[in-house]
Structures are given as C-alpha cells and as structure tokens.
C-alpha cells in the first residue's frame, strides 16, 4: 500500500506512521514531496487492514496496489477458470445458456417450459423454489416441493438445474436437489449465506447486487472461494440508475472489466437487468459480443399467469428465436455452447452465412 | 390501481383485461381517450399483484394508488408511533441518541467508551458482535462473548444496548442479550432475517440499504410488522452516488419523506452516511433540523486501534461536543432527549440563549 | 394525460380541476375509485403543460400518455430515419464509423491518423477544434486553425468530418468547415446552442449528457428538430454511476430503448463511455450487437503526446483490428458500412466464415 | 503527483517515465515495492496534465496530491470569502436569503410576491427572464422585458436581484439589469458561458450540475475566478439518484465538504433539490444546520398559474413561516441575515426562547 500523508503532517506524525508500519512487519519507504510526504510499504501486505492504516493520525489517503480478493484475482490465477455444472461447462470459451421460469410453479407448466427451452438449446434450467420478494404478501415460492419438481425436470430432460438459496439453514437441503446454487442480488453481501454456500461443493451462481461495485462483487466471490468452494460463476444483472426506462441499468462493460480482474466466468442476465422482454434479445447479443460466458433468461409460457416477474419473461417461441441468434453469435465469436448432458444430438448449428437481421 | 393500455390495444385485448380484472373480484371503469384507453379498478385492491396486471396483453402501465405497505403506512395509522427501547422513547418528539464503537472490542475499552458517551447524553449504546465485513479476511466480531460484554455494559450504565443481527439462526441468542436488534444496510432485503426478527418482541433498528428506495425500505419494515412485531425504527445511513467525496450520500430529505409516508420513527446515521468524522457534526445537526427522531454516531477512543471502521469514528470528546450541540438543537425544535434509564439526573440542559457557533 | 387526485380531494377541488381542464379546451372523464378519483383528459393534449396541471390543488399525479417529443417520436414517424452526412449514410441498416483524435493537433499527425483510420474503414473523421475542458488551464483547442486543418483532411481523404460546437456565436463558422456538428454531453441541455444548431442545415451528432435520461435526450433532439433541422444522430456515451471501474457507465440498453421511441439513429461511443482503451473493443461489438447505427472511437498515434484524452485513445493498429471485427459483426447483423465518399474501392469485406475470437 | 506503475513495468518503461517527468521540469523519486514501483514527483506540479502522465506506457494510476482548482481552494485562501451582492453579504457568517418566482411573469404579480418575501426577510429577489426549458414548446421567459421588470422590483423594494444567464451573447445585457448572475445547473459545464460571466464584475450564483461531483463544481468556479471575477457563490440544488421520491437528491453533506475545500460560500436550494414544497421547510433548516451560507427558495402566489415550476413553489405565507424559523435557526447558529439594503428596520428578531416545533 501507499500512504499519502496530510499536507502539514508533523515529523512526530511521520515517525509514528513509520513505527506503526514496521510493527506490522513491513518496511517503509519515505518520499518527501514539495507538498506531501508519501510512505510506500514494502513487504507482504496481504494481511494489512486498509482501515487501520487510514485511521493513523496524519494519514490522508491509503492506496492499495494489490486487489484484496486474493483467490479470485487473475494475478493469482492467470488462466480462465472453467466451471463444470454437472457436465455443462461455463468459462474459457464455453457458454452457459440458463433458461426457465422465475418461480417453480405447477408440474405441467414446468415440463412444458423445460421441454421447449431444451429444444431451443438451453443447457441449464432455472426456477425459484424460495423467492426473495419485496412484499411479504407476495408468493414466496413452493419450498421443498418446488425443489423436488425442479429435480424431476432436471432428471427427465438431462439438464442441470439452478435455484436460489436464501436461508443459511436450507443450504444442505437445496444442495441435495440442485446442481448449482444461486445467490441473488439482494443477498450478494449476505456474508453468512456466502460462507455456508462456500462450504458446499456445488457450483455457485453469484449475482451482482444492485449497488455493488465490481470490487464488491469480487470480494463476495472471495467469501465463497475462501471457504474451499472454487466454483463460482458471476452474473451481471443490472445496477441502480436514475433513468426509469429500464428496471435496472445493464452494465455490459462489467463483462470485460471482470474478466480482466478475475479468472472466474461471468454471464449476463438481461431479464433482470432490463425488466423488459422487448430489450432481452438486443441485450443478450450485446452481452455475448462483450465476451460474456453465458446468458440467463427467464421464460414463461403464460406471463400473465406467472407467480412472479411475469412481465419480464420471454415466451418459449421468443426464446427459441433469440437462442438461435445467440448460437450464430457464438459461432462468430468462436465460442461453444455445450449441449445439455441429456441431449442426444445437437441440431442447432446454423449455416455460417446466415445473417442475424 | 389504474391500467393504461397500449396505444392501439384491440377491442379483444380490452375485453380480456376487463374479464381478468372482474375475475379478481373488482369492478372496472373504462375511459377511452383520444390515444389511450384507461381502466380504473374499483374495489379492494390490497390483494392484487401489480406484476400480474402488468403481464396482461395490451397493458402498458400499471399505476398503484395505494401504498403496498399496509401496516407501515401513515394512512393506516395516522399518529406517529413511539417506540420504547427498554425505557428509552424514540418517535413523537422523543430523540434516540445512539452511540458506541463499531465493533464490541475488549472489556476495558467498552467500559471507557460507554462511560464517556453516557456522560455526554447518549441514551442507547451500540456495538457489533457479529460484523458483516466485505472481506472474509477481516475481523468478524467477537460473537457471543461480545454480546455478553455488551449486556454487561448495558447493565452497569443503565443504558439499553443495540447490536446487529446477521444470521437467522442467531436471532434468539442475540435477543436474549440485546435490547434492540439492528438489521444492517446489506441485509435490508434479507427477507429471511426480517421474518425471524419480526417474530421476536425486540424493537428493531432497520437500516436503509445503499440502493434501496424509500418504498423498498418501507416494504422491508412491513416484513417485520407483518410478523407481529410493531416496533421498528428506520435509519437513513447514506445511499450510493457517483461522487467519491463521501462514502455514501446522506439523503437528509428522506427524513421528511419517510415521516409523510409512515408512522414509524426514522433516525439518521451520519457516521455511515458520510464515512468522515469531520462531517458528522454538520450532518447530525442537519438530520435533527430535518426532523429526525434520533442520531446514531460511532465513537471510539483510539480509532487507529479500532477493529473496524476506525477512520469514521468520533473521539469521545468530539462526541461530547456534538451531543451538547444536538441538545441545543433539540431545545430549539421542541424535542426531548429522554435520559437513559440508569441516569440519576440530567445535567445537560444548556442555557437557552447560548449559540451553536 | 391522466390526473390522479389526492386521497380525500374535495368535491370543490374536483370541480375546479374539471373547470380548469375544460378551459384548456379538453374534455374530462371522471372515474371515482374506492380511494382515489381519476380524471382522464380527452382531446389534443399536445399543447398542455404537465407542470400547470400538477399545480392545481387536489392533483396528486399527472401521467402523460403521449411522449412530449412530437417530431422525434416514432409514433409520429414510424420509419427509421437515414441521415446523410455528405454522402455517408447513418441509420436504417447503415453504420457510421466515426474515428479520429480527441483534439485537432498538428498537421502531420492529423494526416497520419486520418490515413490510417480511412484504410481501416472509418467513414467519418472526428477532431475537436473547440474543446470543453473541465480545467480552465487545460488545452482549449486550436479554434479556427483547427477547423481549417480538419477541412483539409476531409478534402484530401474524401471523408466527411465532424467537430464539436460549444459556442452559439461560432455555429456559422463551424458549419462552414464541418460536415457534421457535434453537441457534446456537457452541452446536451444547452438549449441556446441546440436552437442555433437547429437553424443550420448540417447534420447534428447529439451526445447524451452524463445525467440525462433517455427522455431528456429525446427532448434535446426535439429542440434541434423543432428549428427545422431534421438530421440528428444520437450518441450514447456513458452516464454517471457509483462504480469507479469505468469513467462512465456504458448504457448499452439505451440503444434498443431509443430505437423503440424515436426514428432517429443512435450510435455508441465506447471511448467516452468507458474511458479505457482495453474495454473499447468489447463495448464496440456489444454496441453493434445491441443494434447501434454506428460506433465512435477516438484514435491517436501517440497517446502520451495527445493534447487531450490521450489515455483513452486506441492506437491506429488497434483501431484497424477492431474495425475489422466490427465489419464481421456488421455482416452477421446484415448491416452495411457505407464506404467514405472518397474511397475508390472497398477492400475490407472479410470472408464470412472467419470467427472473431 | 504520484505515479503508480503497472505490475510488471519494465526497466525501460521506468526509465522512460523518469525521462518524461524530468523533461517536464520535475524531479522524480522512485520507490520499488514488492509488487509495484511508485514514482513521486517533486516540484511545482501545478502546470502538469494528469492525462498526459496517465498515457505514458507502464503507468497504471496517477494520483494528484494538490487540488486542480488553485484560486478556489482553501489551501490558497484560508479565510472564508464574503461576497457582497449590492450590499447584501453572503459568507463568513452572513446568510443570503434568496426568494422569488421561477420565472419573471406579469408586473402586478412580481410586485405582490416581492412585497411579501421582502416583508418575510428575504434579502435577494430572484426571477428568470431567460428560462432553460427541457421542452422547446414550453414558456422560454420574457427576455429583456423580464429583466426590466426585475430591475424595477429591485429598485422599488431596495433588494438586489439575481437572474439566470443562458447565452454568452446576453451577458452584457443581463449584467446591466441584474445585481447577480445565475449560472444554472444545466450550464454548470458550459465553459463558454462561465468564461463570459468571469469577465464581468457581477457576483455569480453557480449552481451545481445534477451529475457534477464537488470537484467538478469547484473546477467550474475556477473558470469564473480565473477570468478575474472573484465573486462566486456556490449552490447545492440536488443531484441525480435512483429514488423517485424527490426530483433530485439533496446532498446536504456537500455543504461542509465544500466549505472544507474552498473559501467560497455555498447556499442550498431545496426547491430544486426536492421539487416538493412539503419538503422545503425541513430541507431549508437542514441546510442551515449543516452550515450553509444561505437558502434559495421559489415562491409564487398562485402556483397553478405559474409559467414554470409551479408545483414546487411555496406560497407567500408558507415562505413567511419558514423564513421565521430560519431566523430562529440563524440565531441558534450565531449567523446573521443581513437586511436588504432598502429595509429601514429589521422586525424579525424572534424571542430567543421560542421553539421551532
């Protein structure tokens, strides 16, 4: 780290800073400028607390030079990680295509939607059994019955399933049924939940909070990694902004930013990022073009009957269309959409000369 | 609610909307304008789901006319609630003065800080035993040992204590030791935790999330209220913004906005809102002038040794000074700072002619 | 418009509202709900002022149902506009590829950069002669000498040139030299400047302000259109956000949102949106994939000698690489990059089977 | 400044950095840490361009240690400036109380409103003759006729007048009539306008842009100061945020932040900051309590007839009430509201024991 001292820091303050730094086991390197004195710290700063340094009298600014997420950082692990979700690869050129309804609902509907998105090329099926709803009066999910249904769908269609986990007391239960555990945006800094999820061996889909910086997101991934679970897929799903045109603001630049900082894959979720089905196709393609390792889209066959988030879901036929266009984009980008394990063949390879328009 | 149909909605779509609305037990009132048709819903809309209405084909916008937080809303409960925290009143003209270190630390320090803030006029003591830290490598709190220390301080100085709860599995344990349970900003939409806290009979200090609208905050309060716990104190502690001058953006206007919408009290926390001790005095006075029902300030006697958030803490003598000025402000505003229950007398009444400058 | 009256609006207030509305030449349609009365306005509301309606006692909310930008709206003009910039088409499937240095600098450099971006396939050349700088001490541009240099480059390479206009007193002068006039983000709501630019017959490149909603952007376009100049190209170049990872936040979803609301073309500017050259390729491709009508990129052959914005410029060889990839993307999307008028042939058509990776 | 080099910067790059820095007339001080090399610059860095340094290959971050606004900074001018607006002092304990309608409208109305706010204690009268409106179809102001009316009001009531300037071609004209020139939020970075205004000898009221950081605001003030006009009063009037509860977000902490960084006074404008008359009293008092050097409030005697911004104006009797409470607050804070020059006596001194509630 680098400490910039206050204009007018006294010699006593400078001495005190040096004493404190050396007591932490580091060497200091003083540089007296015309207006400010700067103290460079030399040694292993990985155990230092920036806050403590910032509270030393006379210190004006503390500038870290290494990222605080040691396990997640690309400096520590230069090669891109490929996460295996029960046979479906995400990262390193492999695209995860996650699709399904917001909530797990009745059995027939689940099977209908699953059949359709599997045919369209999705390789992971989603559905919420425990729903974090802003209103205590809204549908809260089917709970364990929903998990069972989801597992049944996964087994029948040979497709891994992902579902949200909201309660540290349920982690074991959910991990029994699901192939991948989702930590939702509102729980991105629920450190108790992250710690529990980090103790499982299930891959984790970690969604970016609506007011989380990218550094915050990577620190939350670090929580999971530091518990021994190396399989984290990040997800950009929109952040807060002042323009009401879209529900959230889709931060597509987060994709290359994240990929520069970490070896973990990152996918995009245009359904939650925009909240508008008419924007999902454009934003899905934009996400892939920016380098995303996958796309998460909500699909429902009768949005006006959906138990949650109906207005933002695509219809199955709309998903089929955009899935086809995403395949064309993947081909252009030299990326692979691994088939779901239960798929006997792959029928979606489009002719390379076909245009998207 | 009011439904605004899309430009060019067909007669069939309009009929379908009316059919759906009536199936929900409401009457509809059609108004065909030059460009748009509007459907007003007449009847008890409290059970309606805005999302479902929005997903009906042909519907462009759904405009609620009643707040979705029924128990928290001032329409339902016009008089301001006064929350009693083990003898200290907050709301309805009574100010809560919460002070203490970020984390519970060693015993001597706790006693020193508590003695000082009690003398200065604080009426609730704070300290974290379970700390939600962005880094998994940072100090995570003393846990139950911290709760015991906090209780000891509370008993010794006759001052109620508040501490943060982060895990639904700990709610019972924490409620045994603390007079008030804090739900932190990062957990404001941890609905599992809100539900558990709502099942206790301890007053709750609910902090606004960094990207929560005021409506979101009130919906989170509704979670607690709907479980049967009526004692919620809200807290404005800064929201996300683009200006790095302060850690968060102190939304002082939230105070009168919230007071217009709900009967629950709202306090301000300039420590977290700004992250800068030099701004705490100005923002504390501003919060009171805006009508806040109390002020939450972090105090530490040696910030550079603090286990968390040291740089933003006030020194005990700084707290003494601002506490005195807050008392003068309270007098001007006709508000009361109830003494802590253990205080034998009140020595802080300043001469009314003294100026703050 | 629709007026939602306050809960408890009196009959007198309702009568007064109706009287006021009818005095404005509209019919009103009352709908009394259980809790609120709603007044729908029937007739030509294009001349109404929402503010005036909102100030009538008893009115709680005014909800417009038509966009206030009449000339810019797609409702008024369903077909996408194609803007002709001295022979280069933008919109309706035609892509504008704008490239060049931030500021016009010395003659040799201008020619070197222009030659290179022309070879790479750019079809409009950019360079600032009047620079809006945040510091009064920074380089403010070469002024008219810069305009002359820009014209010389345009003539020599047969490429239209665009340059920023910052002063209403200079509009005529700049319009003499430039093929297209840029209104920068900081001047997006400089209505005096918009009005002057609207009086010229030069196409306008209107950049979105850093805190402008999409509705604000379209209202600013309306200023230009309402003066008689129909040729406006919009540009998304990043808005304010809380994450310091990028200079601004690239709002890629703005592209399809804008295209839904207006017939005017919209291009993206990843140079200003991100401020980071390493992100420009990913964001350029994302912009095109989202449907943008062009891409604006800053290019400089020696960023450390650039008189402004050096750190965000691409090197000519980096531009060549991304221009090639943008051509492949255009082919996939079925879009056309019209060659610059002075180009004798087009050599950039890549083989369709080549992948971007 | 301090340059942090990239991890893995080569010796050649380091040498090149040192050579460049020394060519700029500064000494460099190298500090090689375990992971990064840091270069401290020693000498007069006031003429350096941060951008240029940032574009040198191998440089990762440039950290300035001095503010770039030399004339505006408190380091350069430790004592608070007191600005004299035709006899009314703002700053250094003196409060400016600016009140009046959004737009200058008809003569009778102007006189009525002016009489009332003068009686209530306002010491500067406001009114817009040139209105920057988001819609080209909205009322654009009375122009010179409005300026004349404003002057007439100022002379009649012995109160200085402030009005907005939007066009560099009008600066001389407006300066003839007005005592103070307002640069509005949307023009805060209209550097052409700032430069023209800086050439006059009229005090300037510079409003913070909706997406301007405090550093941006001070750089805009620097534009005016650097032209030779030392009389700038800053104004916090709300910034963009994600919560629609208020029109903008009132950043009350900006008051002490600004006062720490500059000697220039800063006032608050709760009318524009919140857009809601019901919040103006609370936010006015909060602004004063935070240390503001004045309060700007819009007042209109018939908001539903106002030509602009009617819904956010206070009625004259509401202004009278809040003006009285602001006087009590000023007394508590030891601040002075200088009477308008034309006032023969001062009748508003309230009894010190009276409470605000």
């Amino acid at each position: 780290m680098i400490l910039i001292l206050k204009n007018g820091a006294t010699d006593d303050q400078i001495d005190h800073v040096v004493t404190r730094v050396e007591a932490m086991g580091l060497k200091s390197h003083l540089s007296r400028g015309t207006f400010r004195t700067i103290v460079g710290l030399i040694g292993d700063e990985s155990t230092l607390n920036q806050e403590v340094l910032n509270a030393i009298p006379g210190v004006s600014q503390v500038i870290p030079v290494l990222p605080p997420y040691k396990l997640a950082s690309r400096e520590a692990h230069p090669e891109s990680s490929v996460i295996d979700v029960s046979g479906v690869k995400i990262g390193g050129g492999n695209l995860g295509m996650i699709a399904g309804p917001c909530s797990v609902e009745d059995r027939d509907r689940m099977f209908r939607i699953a059949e359709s998105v599997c045919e369209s090329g999705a390789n992971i099926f989603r559905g919420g059994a425990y729903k974090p709803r802003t209103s205590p009066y809204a549908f809260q999910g089917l709970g364990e019955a929903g998990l069972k249904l989801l597992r049944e769908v996964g087994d029948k269609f040979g497709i891994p399933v992902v579902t949200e986990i909201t309660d540290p007391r349920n982690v074991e239960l959910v991990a029994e049924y699901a192939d991948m555990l989702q930590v939702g945006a509102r729980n991105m800094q629920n450190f108790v939940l992250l710690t529990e999820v980090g103790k499982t061996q299930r891959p984790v889909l970690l969604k970016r909070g609506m007011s989380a910086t990218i550094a915050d997101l990577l620190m939350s991934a670090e929580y999971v990694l530091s518990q021994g679970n190396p399989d984290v897929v990040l997800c950009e799903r929109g952040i807060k902004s002042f323009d009401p045109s879209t529900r959230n603001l889709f931060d597509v630049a987060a994709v290359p930013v994240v990929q520069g900082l970490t070896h973990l894959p990152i996918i995009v979720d245009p359904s939650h990022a925009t909240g508008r089905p008419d924007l999902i196709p454009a934003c899905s393609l934009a996400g892939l073009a920016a380098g995303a390792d996958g796309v998460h889209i909500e699909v429902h066959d009768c949005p006006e009957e959906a138990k949650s988030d109906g207005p933002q879901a695509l219809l199955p036929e709309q998903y089929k269309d955009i899935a086809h266009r995403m395949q064309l984009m993947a081909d252009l980008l030299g990326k692979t959409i691994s088939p779901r394990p239960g798929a006997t063949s792959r029928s979606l390879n489009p002719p390379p000369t076909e245009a998207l328009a």
Side-chain angles (χ1 to χ4, degrees), chain A residues 27-350:
Chain A
K27 284 192 197 152
S28 61
H29 182 117
L30 243 74
S31 163
R32 291 173 194 262
T34 313
F35 297 95
R36 301 286 166 101
T37 294
I38 293 148
V39 185
L41 308 194
I42 301 171
D44 175 18
E45 64 181 54
S46 69
T47 57
L48 288 189
N49 185 335
Q50 189 175 339
E51 276 177 5
V52 169
L53 293 165
N54 215 57
I56 303 177
V59 172
S60 159
Q61 249 186 297
V62 179
I63 298 160
V65 293
L66 286 183
Y69 35 87
K70 297 158 208 171
L71 302 171
S73 88
R74 197 176 271 280
E75 299 199 357
H77 186 306
E79 213 170 320
S80 293
S81 288
V82 179
I83 310 298
D84 186 309
V85 184
S86 302
V88 170
K89 291 194 170 76
I90 303 180
N94 303 285
L95 302 179
M97 289 291 151
I98 306 179
C102 182
S103 301
V104 178
E105 303 184 17
D106 68 277
R107 205 170 165 280
D108 283 0
R109 171 154 284 154
M110 285 299 98
F111 274 73
R112 269 204 311 277
I113 299 176
E115 182 170 19
S116 163
V117 299
C118 283
E119 267 172 29
S120 298
N123 54 22
I124 298 180
F125 188 69
R126 66 146 284 136
Y130 300 92
K131 300 299 307 169
R133 306 302 301 276
T134 41
S135 167
Y137 311 117
F139 175 67
Q140 307 273 326
L142 294 178
E144 191 170 355
L147 295 177
K148 283 182 179 159
L149 251 175
L150 203 58
R151 184 67 269 151
E152 208 187 331
V153 166
D155 291 344
K156 156 98 185 193
F157 292 97
I159 188 168
V161 295
V162 58
T163 198
E164 183 162 359
I165 173 90
T166 60
D167 190 333
R169 296 168 299 195
N170 284 348
V171 170
E172 234 174 290
L173 179 74
V174 178
E176 249 176 65
Y177 290 102
D179 299 284
M180 187 179 209
L181 306 177
Q182 178 186 315
V183 175
R186 290 178 177 77
N187 280 314
M188 193 203 85
Q189 293 195 317
N190 181 341
F191 303 117
V192 169
L193 190 65
L194 292 172
T195 301
E196 288 302 321
V197 157
K199 289 176 186 161
T200 74
Q201 290 307 312
R202 291 284 181 216
V204 175
L205 179 61
L206 177 61
K207 295 196 150 192
R208 181 183 183 185
M210 279 92 87
S211 63
T213 62
I214 287 170
D216 290 338
L217 174 62
L218 295 177
M219 284 311 290
S220 288
E222 187 81 7
Y223 258 92
V224 179
L225 301 181
S226 69
Q227 294 298 322
N229 184 343
D231 294 330
V232 176
V233 175
L234 306 168
C235 181
E236 159 60 30
R237 43 80 76 214
I239 57 176
K240 285 279 177 172
S241 174
F242 55 82
D243 192 332
S245 303
T246 49
R247 190 197 282 186
N248 294 292
L249 198 98
F250 179 40
D251 180 9
V252 78
V255 171
V257 171
V258 161
Q259 289 172 338
L261 296 171
T262 184
H263 53 91
L264 300 171
I266 177 164
I267 68 168
V268 295
D269 171 358
S271 300
H272 287 91
T274 67
R276 284 176 48 177
D278 59 319
L279 304 178
I280 292 176
C283 291
S284 298
L285 296 175
L288 289 181
D293 300 298
V295 180
H296 171 288
I297 294 179
E298 292 197 347
V299 178
H300 199 282
D301 64 347
C302 185
E304 64 174 304
E305 290 175 6
K307 297 213 176 294
S308 58
D309 271 358
Q312 79 185 27
L314 287 191
L315 294 167
E317 57 267 28
Q318 292 172 321
Y319 183 70
K320 185 178 177 185
D321 178 62
I322 182 61
H324 175 65
R325 292 158 76 192
M326 290 196 289
Q327 178 65 63
L328 292 169
M329 182 65 76
D331 291 341
L332 179 70
L333 299 165
K335 300 275 181 83
T336 303
I337 302 177
S338 38
R340 67 183 199 283
T344 46
S345 72
R346 180 121 171 287
S347 58
L348 281 161
N349 221 335

